[in-house]
Structure formats: structure tokens, C-alpha cells
Amino acid sequence: MRRTRITLADGRDLFYFDERDDVLHDHPDRRELPPPPPASQLRYDPLTDEWVAVAVHRQTRIFLPSADKCPLCPSTADRSSEIPAPAYDVAVFENRFPALSARVADDPGEITPFTPVRPGQGRCEVVCFTDEHTTSFADLPPTRVRTVLDALADRTAALGELPGVEQVFCFENRGVEIGVTLHHPHGQIYAYPFVTPRTRAMLAAARRHAERTGGRNLYADVFAAERAAGDRVVAANDHWTAYVPAAARWPFEVHLAPHRPVPDLPALTDAERDAFGPLYLDLLGRFDRLFDRPMPYISAWHQAPVRLDRELAHLHLHLFSTRRAVDKLKYLAGSESAMGVFISDVAPERAADLLRAA
């Protein structure tokens, strides 16, 4: 894989990840752009011990443009996009409308003595999986999936070295039902200045398990139990297994995990990276065949924090959909949204049966 870094017209970074070594990316960004916005505000919620980002500039971001105005397609002689090159394999660039940024303005101070405010320091990047607008991740060849995985590993390592970054989160949102604002196949990377609430909860459970069991890894033990039970396993190969969690929250939800406990994407071996693509593409195909239509989904990589509790983590991909039937979506109503208590409409064992048959 060849990695090339360029600078966009407003000073943001863009990285090309190419599958050939002879590709030359010397096309300049011809646009006249305003400076990127300053970092958002992070406001502390003392009642939940969580940080909330307030990023008002994101109200002006591009919303579902037509294909001829897509900012993620390659640039042409007549139109400049976020990608100056006329073609690319994988491209990663700083989000123009970031929730988190290194461009910190003045310290915002506090709102009340109980609600401190800090700059939303961090970084948000967009990951373009292909220069083809009308395709999807499920249509990529395994070689391209490997390139995407290598790019995510590269950026995870680089972002983890930035001052103040505590966790790196790689993910893809797919489908208007999920809330995407661009149809072009792409994902995102968030580099947070704190460990996220979901990860903190998982690490707290893992820490309690390690204390009870003399240092055993909780996810590894749960994963081994799921593989041994087998009734919720959807697919597997020599290095990875995909299974529906026994306590799945979403109608169709799968964890895809490497058999070897590793903390993050950079820790994967070449063999593990090669084996990921075919199994993940198989899984995405099953999701799309389930209702004979493109499945809306969120695909989220759970990685260890940059500095803390890395030995408690176990890298895994969390893939889930809000679709519960061909004509029905799962909405987060009172119990889920207000209290955080999920009520599943599909039994995990039934979901696994349907995905295996798809």
C-alpha cells in the first residue's frame, strides 16, 4: 500500500492509500475555501458523568447532494470536490464540519460550577472507501477491504499519538434510515479527548471480571462461550468469528471478532487482516439479502483506549441495523432513549438463524 499526504486549500490534511506503488497524486486543490471552523465546545453533564459536544457549525454541512455534486467523488476538469485527484482507491481527509478539532479557540470556561466547559479538542476524519459513487462497501473486492483496514490501522496509530487524544473510533453509517448525509460509500474516524461512555462501561465490567478471575479477559471469555455454544454463530474462518450476542439490543446485531485478543487495529497481523475482508463481505451480503434490499446499518470498531486499560480490551466490530422487518424500523422510544433499557423485537437466536439462511 502506498500512502500519500497532501494539503487541501483550507489547510486540512488528506491522505491517499493506493494499491499500486506507481500512482502519483500531484493534483492541487483548486478551490477557494474559508478557514476551517474552530473546535466545538464540550460541556460536562454532572448527572451522568459524560461530555456532550456542542458543534453548531455542523448545521451547515452538506445534506444528501445529487451525484453530480457529491463532495466525495473525484474532482473533474469542471468541478472540484474534497478529493483533488481524478481517481483514487481509498482517501482519508479531515472533516470540513468536524465535531472535534485541533483548532482550539479561547478556553470557554464554565456555565455553572457544576457544568465545566472545555474545547472540543480532537480530530474527525472522513474515509472514502472507493471513488465509485453508486456502489457500497458490500460490493468492494477483498483486496480493497484490506486497503481500507490498513488505512484505518494507519490512522488509528497516527491519531493516537496526537496530544490529548484518549480514544480512536472508526465507523460507517449506511442508509438514510441511519441518518447519513452523503450517499457516497464512506466511513468516519473520531479521535476523542476522553474515553467514551460505552467504552468506560465495558472496561468497568471487564475490570470487575479480571479481579474476580485472576486477570482473565471478559470479552475473550464471552467470545469463547459463544463459539462453544454455536447457536448464535453466523459465520467464521480461521481467524475471525461473527456471532449474534446473547443479549443483542438491536433486531439484527452481530459482533465480528478476531480469535486472538488484540487491543486495536494496528495490532492485527497480515494474516488476520487478509482474513477479515472475505468474512465481513459475506456478513454484509447476508444483511442485504435478509429483506432483499440494502440494509441500513452502523458498523463500529471497538478499540482499546490510547493509554488506559488496554489489557482489558478485545478488538471487535459491532455491526447492527435498525430494520426489524421488511417494512418496519426499530425506533428508540421511551424505555431505550430515556432509560437506556433496550427491548428487543427479535430473539437473538432467531436473528442468527435468519442471517445464516440469508
Side-chain angles (χ1 to χ4, degrees), residues 243-278:
Y243 69 97
V244 178
R249 290 164 169 76
W250 300 93
F252 294 94
E253 175 179 350
V254 173
H255 284 199
L256 180 56
H259 297 166
R260 186 176 63 96
V262 296
D264 52 23
L265 290 167
L268 292 172
T269 65
D270 280 339
E272 288 165 337
R273 296 184 190 199
D274 284 340
F276 170 76

Short mmCIF file of all heavy atoms in Angstrom, two decimals, residues 243-278:
data_model
loop_
_atom_site.label_atom_id
_atom_site.label_comp_id
_atom_site.label_asym_id
_atom_site.label_seq_id
_atom_site.Cartn_x
_atom_site.Cartn_y
_atom_site.Cartn_z
N TYR A 243 -20.88 -13.49 15.30
CA TYR A 243 -21.96 -14.08 16.10
C TYR A 243 -22.93 -13.00 16.57
O TYR A 243 -22.58 -11.82 16.67
CB TYR A 243 -21.40 -14.82 17.31
CG TYR A 243 -20.77 -13.92 18.36
CD1 TYR A 243 -21.49 -13.52 19.49
CD2 TYR A 243 -19.46 -13.47 18.23
CE1 TYR A 243 -20.93 -12.68 20.44
CE2 TYR A 243 -18.89 -12.63 19.17
CZ TYR A 243 -19.64 -12.24 20.29
OH TYR A 243 -19.08 -11.41 21.23
N VAL A 244 -24.17 -13.41 16.82
CA VAL A 244 -25.17 -12.53 17.40
C VAL A 244 -25.03 -12.61 18.92
O VAL A 244 -25.10 -13.71 19.49
CB VAL A 244 -26.60 -12.95 16.98
CG1 VAL A 244 -27.63 -12.04 17.65
CG2 VAL A 244 -26.74 -12.92 15.47
N PRO A 245 -24.81 -11.50 19.61
CA PRO A 245 -24.67 -11.55 21.07
C PRO A 245 -25.94 -12.09 21.73
O PRO A 245 -27.05 -11.83 21.26
CB PRO A 245 -24.42 -10.10 21.47
CG PRO A 245 -23.98 -9.41 20.22
CD PRO A 245 -24.65 -10.12 19.10
N ALA A 246 -25.77 -12.83 22.81
CA ALA A 246 -26.93 -13.40 23.50
C ALA A 246 -27.86 -12.33 24.03
O ALA A 246 -29.08 -12.56 24.15
CB ALA A 246 -26.44 -14.30 24.65
N ALA A 247 -27.32 -11.17 24.36
CA ALA A 247 -28.14 -10.06 24.86
C ALA A 247 -28.17 -8.93 23.83
O ALA A 247 -28.02 -7.75 24.19
CB ALA A 247 -27.61 -9.56 26.20
N ALA A 248 -28.38 -9.27 22.56
CA ALA A 248 -28.40 -8.26 21.50
C ALA A 248 -29.49 -7.23 21.76
O ALA A 248 -30.62 -7.58 22.13
CB ALA A 248 -28.63 -8.94 20.15
N ARG A 249 -29.16 -5.98 21.54
CA ARG A 249 -30.12 -4.89 21.73
C ARG A 249 -30.91 -4.59 20.47
O ARG A 249 -32.05 -4.15 20.53
CB ARG A 249 -29.39 -3.63 22.19
CG ARG A 249 -28.83 -3.70 23.60
CD ARG A 249 -27.80 -2.60 23.84
NE ARG A 249 -27.43 -2.48 25.24
CZ ARG A 249 -26.63 -3.31 25.89
NH1 ARG A 249 -26.09 -4.33 25.23
NH2 ARG A 249 -26.36 -3.14 27.17
N TRP A 250 -30.27 -4.77 19.32
CA TRP A 250 -30.88 -4.38 18.05
C TRP A 250 -31.48 -5.59 17.36
O TRP A 250 -31.08 -6.73 17.61
CB TRP A 250 -29.83 -3.72 17.16
CG TRP A 250 -29.26 -2.49 17.78
CD1 TRP A 250 -28.13 -2.39 18.55
CD2 TRP A 250 -29.82 -1.18 17.75
NE1 TRP A 250 -27.94 -1.11 18.97
CE2 TRP A 250 -28.97 -0.33 18.49
CE3 TRP A 250 -30.95 -0.62 17.15
CZ2 TRP A 250 -29.21 1.03 18.67
CZ3 TRP A 250 -31.19 0.73 17.31
CH2 TRP A 250 -30.34 1.54 18.05
N PRO A 251 -32.46 -5.38 16.46
CA PRO A 251 -33.12 -6.52 15.81
C PRO A 251 -32.13 -7.45 15.13
O PRO A 251 -32.24 -8.68 15.23
CB PRO A 251 -34.06 -5.85 14.80
CG PRO A 251 -34.31 -4.48 15.33
CD PRO A 251 -33.05 -4.09 16.04
N PHE A 252 -31.16 -6.87 14.43
CA PHE A 252 -30.12 -7.65 13.77
C PHE A 252 -28.78 -7.02 14.13
O PHE A 252 -28.47 -5.90 13.73
CB PHE A 252 -30.36 -7.72 12.26
CG PHE A 252 -31.60 -8.48 11.93
CD1 PHE A 252 -32.81 -7.82 11.73
CD2 PHE A 252 -31.59 -9.87 11.88
CE1 PHE A 252 -33.97 -8.52 11.48
CE2 PHE A 252 -32.75 -10.58 11.62
CZ PHE A 252 -33.95 -9.91 11.41
N GLU A 253 -28.03 -7.76 14.92
CA GLU A 253 -26.81 -7.24 15.53
C GLU A 253 -25.77 -8.36 15.55
O GLU A 253 -26.08 -9.48 15.96
CB GLU A 253 -27.10 -6.76 16.94
CG GLU A 253 -25.90 -6.30 17.73
CD GLU A 253 -26.28 -5.81 19.12
OE1 GLU A 253 -27.48 -5.65 19.41
OE2 GLU A 253 -25.35 -5.59 19.93
N VAL A 254 -24.56 -8.06 15.11
CA VAL A 254 -23.50 -9.07 15.03
C VAL A 254 -22.20 -8.47 15.56
O VAL A 254 -21.90 -7.30 15.30
CB VAL A 254 -23.31 -9.56 13.58
CG1 VAL A 254 -22.10 -10.48 13.46
CG2 VAL A 254 -24.56 -10.28 13.09
N HIS A 255 -21.46 -9.28 16.29
CA HIS A 255 -20.08 -8.96 16.63
C HIS A 255 -19.17 -9.80 15.73
O HIS A 255 -19.40 -11.00 15.58
CB HIS A 255 -19.77 -9.30 18.08
CG HIS A 255 -20.30 -8.32 19.07
ND1 HIS A 255 -19.83 -8.22 20.36
CD2 HIS A 255 -21.28 -7.38 18.97
CE1 HIS A 255 -20.48 -7.29 21.01
NE2 HIS A 255 -21.38 -6.76 20.18
N LEU A 256 -18.17 -9.16 15.18
CA LEU A 256 -17.15 -9.85 14.37
C LEU A 256 -15.82 -9.61 15.06
O LEU A 256 -15.34 -8.48 15.14
CB LEU A 256 -17.14 -9.29 12.95
CG LEU A 256 -16.14 -9.88 11.95
CD1 LEU A 256 -16.29 -11.39 11.85
CD2 LEU A 256 -16.31 -9.22 10.59
N ALA A 257 -15.23 -10.69 15.59
CA ALA A 257 -14.04 -10.55 16.44
C ALA A 257 -12.93 -11.48 15.99
O ALA A 257 -13.19 -12.60 15.55
CB ALA A 257 -14.41 -10.83 17.90
N PRO A 258 -11.69 -11.04 16.14
CA PRO A 258 -10.56 -11.93 15.87
C PRO A 258 -10.42 -12.96 16.98
O PRO A 258 -10.70 -12.66 18.15
CB PRO A 258 -9.36 -10.99 15.82
CG PRO A 258 -9.74 -9.86 16.72
CD PRO A 258 -11.23 -9.69 16.56
N HIS A 259 -10.00 -14.17 16.63
CA HIS A 259 -9.84 -15.21 17.63
C HIS A 259 -8.74 -14.87 18.64
O HIS A 259 -8.81 -15.29 19.80
CB HIS A 259 -9.52 -16.54 16.95
CG HIS A 259 -10.63 -17.02 16.07
ND1 HIS A 259 -10.46 -18.03 15.16
CD2 HIS A 259 -11.93 -16.63 15.95
CE1 HIS A 259 -11.60 -18.26 14.51
NE2 HIS A 259 -12.50 -17.40 14.97
N ARG A 260 -7.76 -14.12 18.21
CA ARG A 260 -6.65 -13.73 19.08
C ARG A 260 -6.98 -12.39 19.72
O ARG A 260 -7.26 -11.41 19.03
CB ARG A 260 -5.36 -13.63 18.26
CG ARG A 260 -4.10 -13.37 19.05
CD ARG A 260 -2.90 -13.38 18.12
NE ARG A 260 -2.95 -12.31 17.13
CZ ARG A 260 -2.33 -11.14 17.27
NH1 ARG A 260 -1.62 -10.87 18.34
NH2 ARG A 260 -2.43 -10.22 16.31
N PRO A 261 -6.95 -12.29 21.05
CA PRO A 261 -7.23 -11.00 21.69
C PRO A 261 -6.18 -9.95 21.33
O PRO A 261 -4.99 -10.16 21.59
CB PRO A 261 -7.20 -11.31 23.19
CG PRO A 261 -7.37 -12.79 23.28
CD PRO A 261 -6.74 -13.35 22.04
N VAL A 262 -6.60 -8.87 20.70
CA VAL A 262 -5.71 -7.76 20.39
C VAL A 262 -6.44 -6.46 20.80
O VAL A 262 -7.66 -6.41 20.81
CB VAL A 262 -5.33 -7.70 18.89
CG1 VAL A 262 -4.53 -8.93 18.50
CG2 VAL A 262 -6.56 -7.56 18.01
N PRO A 263 -5.69 -5.42 21.14
CA PRO A 263 -6.35 -4.19 21.63
C PRO A 263 -6.95 -3.32 20.54
O PRO A 263 -7.95 -2.65 20.75
CB PRO A 263 -5.22 -3.46 22.36
CG PRO A 263 -3.97 -3.93 21.68
CD PRO A 263 -4.23 -5.35 21.29
N ASP A 264 -6.32 -3.33 19.33
CA ASP A 264 -6.77 -2.38 18.32
C ASP A 264 -6.37 -2.85 16.92
O ASP A 264 -5.69 -3.88 16.76
CB ASP A 264 -6.24 -0.98 18.61
CG ASP A 264 -4.73 -0.94 18.81
OD1 ASP A 264 -4.04 -1.87 18.33
OD2 ASP A 264 -4.23 0.00 19.44
N LEU A 265 -6.77 -2.09 15.92
CA LEU A 265 -6.50 -2.46 14.53
C LEU A 265 -5.01 -2.54 14.20
O LEU A 265 -4.60 -3.46 13.48
CB LEU A 265 -7.20 -1.46 13.60
CG LEU A 265 -8.73 -1.54 13.56
CD1 LEU A 265 -9.32 -0.33 12.87
CD2 LEU A 265 -9.18 -2.82 12.88
N PRO A 266 -4.17 -1.63 14.67
CA PRO A 266 -2.75 -1.75 14.34
C PRO A 266 -2.12 -3.06 14.82
O PRO A 266 -1.09 -3.48 14.28
CB PRO A 266 -2.12 -0.54 15.04
CG PRO A 266 -3.22 0.46 15.12
CD PRO A 266 -4.45 -0.34 15.35
N ALA A 267 -2.71 -3.71 15.80
CA ALA A 267 -2.14 -4.93 16.36
C ALA A 267 -2.46 -6.18 15.54
O ALA A 267 -1.92 -7.25 15.82
CB ALA A 267 -2.62 -5.12 17.80
N LEU A 268 -3.33 -6.07 14.54
CA LEU A 268 -3.68 -7.22 13.71
C LEU A 268 -2.50 -7.63 12.82
O LEU A 268 -1.79 -6.78 12.28
CB LEU A 268 -4.88 -6.90 12.83
CG LEU A 268 -6.22 -6.70 13.52
CD1 LEU A 268 -7.26 -6.20 12.52
CD2 LEU A 268 -6.70 -7.99 14.19
N THR A 269 -2.31 -8.94 12.65
CA THR A 269 -1.27 -9.45 11.75
C THR A 269 -1.74 -9.37 10.30
O THR A 269 -2.93 -9.15 10.02
CB THR A 269 -0.94 -10.91 12.09
OG1 THR A 269 -2.11 -11.72 11.83
CG2 THR A 269 -0.53 -11.05 13.55
N ASP A 270 -0.83 -9.59 9.37
CA ASP A 270 -1.19 -9.63 7.96
C ASP A 270 -2.22 -10.72 7.68
O ASP A 270 -3.17 -10.51 6.92
CB ASP A 270 0.05 -9.87 7.09
CG ASP A 270 0.86 -8.61 6.88
OD1 ASP A 270 0.31 -7.50 7.04
OD2 ASP A 270 2.06 -8.71 6.56
N ALA A 271 -2.05 -11.88 8.29
CA ALA A 271 -2.99 -12.97 8.06
C ALA A 271 -4.38 -12.61 8.58
O ALA A 271 -5.40 -12.91 7.93
CB ALA A 271 -2.49 -14.24 8.75
N GLU A 272 -4.45 -11.97 9.73
CA GLU A 272 -5.75 -11.56 10.28
C GLU A 272 -6.39 -10.47 9.42
O GLU A 272 -7.62 -10.49 9.21
CB GLU A 272 -5.56 -11.06 11.72
CG GLU A 272 -5.25 -12.19 12.70
CD GLU A 272 -4.71 -11.69 14.03
OE1 GLU A 272 -4.14 -10.57 14.08
OE2 GLU A 272 -4.84 -12.44 15.01
N ARG A 273 -5.59 -9.57 8.90
CA ARG A 273 -6.14 -8.52 8.03
C ARG A 273 -6.66 -9.11 6.72
O ARG A 273 -7.71 -8.71 6.22
CB ARG A 273 -5.08 -7.45 7.77
CG ARG A 273 -4.65 -6.71 9.02
CD ARG A 273 -3.67 -5.57 8.72
NE ARG A 273 -3.09 -5.03 9.93
CZ ARG A 273 -2.51 -3.84 10.02
NH1 ARG A 273 -2.43 -3.07 8.95
NH2 ARG A 273 -2.01 -3.41 11.16
N ASP A 274 -5.94 -10.06 6.15
CA ASP A 274 -6.39 -10.71 4.92
C ASP A 274 -7.68 -11.49 5.14
O ASP A 274 -8.55 -11.52 4.27
CB ASP A 274 -5.31 -11.65 4.39
CG ASP A 274 -4.15 -10.92 3.73
OD1 ASP A 274 -4.34 -9.74 3.33
OD2 ASP A 274 -3.07 -11.51 3.61
N ALA A 275 -7.80 -12.14 6.29
CA ALA A 275 -8.96 -12.99 6.56
C ALA A 275 -10.21 -12.18 6.90
O ALA A 275 -11.34 -12.69 6.78
CB ALA A 275 -8.65 -13.95 7.71
N PHE A 276 -10.05 -10.94 7.31
CA PHE A 276 -11.21 -10.13 7.70
C PHE A 276 -12.14 -9.86 6.52
O PHE A 276 -13.36 -10.04 6.62
CB PHE A 276 -10.74 -8.81 8.31
CG PHE A 276 -11.86 -7.82 8.51
CD1 PHE A 276 -12.75 -7.97 9.56
CD2 PHE A 276 -12.04 -6.76 7.62
CE1 PHE A 276 -13.79 -7.06 9.72
CE2 PHE A 276 -13.07 -5.86 7.78
CZ PHE A 276 -13.95 -6.00 8.84
N GLY A 277 -11.58 -9.42 5.39
CA GLY A 277 -12.40 -8.97 4.27
C GLY A 277 -13.41 -9.98 3.76
O GLY A 277 -14.60 -9.67 3.67
N PRO A 278 -13.00 -11.19 3.41
CA PRO A 278 -13.98 -12.16 2.89
C PRO A 278 -15.12 -12.44 3.86
O PRO A 278 -16.29 -12.55 3.45
CB PRO A 278 -13.14 -13.41 2.64
CG PRO A 278 -11.75 -12.88 2.39
CD PRO A 278 -11.63 -11.70 3.31
#
